Amino acid sequence: MLVCRRAVSAISPGRGRWASCLRGRRLSMAKSKFEFSEQHEFKKPNDDRALHLMTKCAQTVMQELEDIAIAYGQSDEYSFVFKKKSRWFKRRASKFMTHVVSQFASSYVFYWKDYFKDQQLMYPPGFDGRIVLYPSNQNLKDYLSWRQADCHINNLYNTVFWMLVQRSGLTPVQAQDRLQGTLAGDKNEILFSEFNINYNNEPLMYRKGTVLIWQKTNEVVTKKIKLPKEAEEKEVEVTRTRTKVVPLHCDIIGDQFWEEYPEILAEDS
């Protein structure tokens, strides 16, 4: 389901015919997948197929709505941040939300078979969403930092929990009782001492989530051209620069990411 985080400037679609988003405010949307992991036998604690499918859907949304400056996803949710000066749909909150949700949901069904090749989609997944306004860049960074911190906390817990269930033979209730009241250091110690797992060596995608940004990339394509005084066409390689949605698995809580990509929060964006 699509969840909304804390609203700094609340949007109420119920007021008037349309509720519009104030200009000069950054727009963020978040969504999560419907709880059907059990029926579709998702791997625990992380299923790469499900995570990559979510990212593919988010990339499709960004390619459809180019006014999205950055997206962040972890587990079963994705947040989309629209450019500060976006005029898409005259900044109507309901239009932003319904377009993103419908695009994401249709993409999830459309691309399912590319990631779950041996698992049939048993029923259509459902998504919902909310929209939030952030009045400053710092508010926005705080929100994204919160989501990434949440990613770490949840993934550490789930990693230990499922090791206790899958490898130690505990029931889910017993594993939950074992972890009750434990701190991050305690969980790391259980992983290392009982399962020889260094949590810091777990994949960044699990620990940090996925950041989607626009980047210029060079693509080499083959093109047929006809040279002067040549009777037949020849194939030549041509390098083209394109702007694409690129996934990153990195820290966005510190300043380094924002200093490396200042265009994301640029005032004219």
Side-chain angles (χ1 to χ4, degrees), residues 194-207:
E194 298 186 23
F195 306 106
N196 197 29
I197 294 176
N198 185 335
Y199 182 74
N200 291 329
N201 294 334
E202 289 293 286
L204 283 172
M205 179 172 64
Y206 302 162
R207 295 187 288 119

Side-chain angles (χ1 to χ4, degrees), residues 82-246:
F82 285 79
K83 294 179 180 178
K84 192 171 185 178
K85 294 187 178 180
S86 175
R87 291 296 299 157
W88 277 88
F89 312 119
K90 297 182 180 180
R91 297 183 70 85
R92 293 171 176 172
S94 58
K95 289 289 187 179
F96 275 114
M97 184 173 64
T98 55
H99 197 101
V100 170
V101 172
S102 62
Q103 185 71 46
F104 197 100
S106 61
S107 298
Y108 197 90
V109 175
F110 185 81
Y111 291 111
W112 172 271
K113 62 182 180 300
D114 294 341
Y115 297 88
F116 290 84
K117 301 182 185 299
D118 301 322
Q119 173 65 58
Q120 183 179 0
L121 185 62
M122 299 172 64
Y123 55 85
F127 296 85
D128 73 310
R130 298 183 181 92
I131 198 162
V132 191
L133 283 176
Y134 292 99
S136 71
N137 287 343
Q138 188 58 52
N139 291 140
L140 175 63
K141 290 165 67 175
D142 289 345
Y143 165 76
L144 293 173
S145 295
W146 169 46
R147 299 318 307 138
Q148 187 166 72
D150 186 69
C151 172
H152 161 69
I153 293 171
N154 290 338
N155 186 68
L156 176 58
Y157 181 92
N158 289 333
T159 301
V160 185
F161 178 88
W162 286 108
M163 286 299 100
L164 291 171
V165 171
Q166 295 170 351
R167 293 176 56 175
S168 290
L170 270 63
T171 67
V173 173
Q174 290 172 332
Q176 185 176 5
D177 290 341
R178 171 80 186 277
L179 294 176
Q180 187 174 3
T182 58
L183 302 177
D186 301 321
K187 296 180 180 68
N188 275 292
E189 179 60 26
I190 293 174
L191 285 175
F192 188 76
S193 61
E194 298 186 23
F195 306 106
N196 197 29
I197 294 176
N198 185 335
Y199 182 74
N200 291 329
N201 294 334
E202 289 293 286
L204 283 172
M205 179 172 64
Y206 302 162
R207 295 187 288 119
K208 299 292 186 181
T210 301
V211 184
L212 297 180
I213 63 172
W214 294 95
Q215 275 191 338
K216 290 183 178 180
T217 60
N218 292 326
E219 290 186 348
V220 178
V221 297
T222 301
K223 185 178 181 181
K224 289 185 177 181
I225 62 172
K226 189 173 183 180
L227 301 174
K229 299 181 180 180
E230 294 282 347
E232 297 181 356
E233 291 184 334
K234 289 188 175 181
E235 290 188 350
V236 296
E237 289 188 346
V238 178
T239 301
R240 296 176 178 175
T241 301
R242 299 184 61 184
T243 303
K244 300 178 63 176
V245 180
V246 178

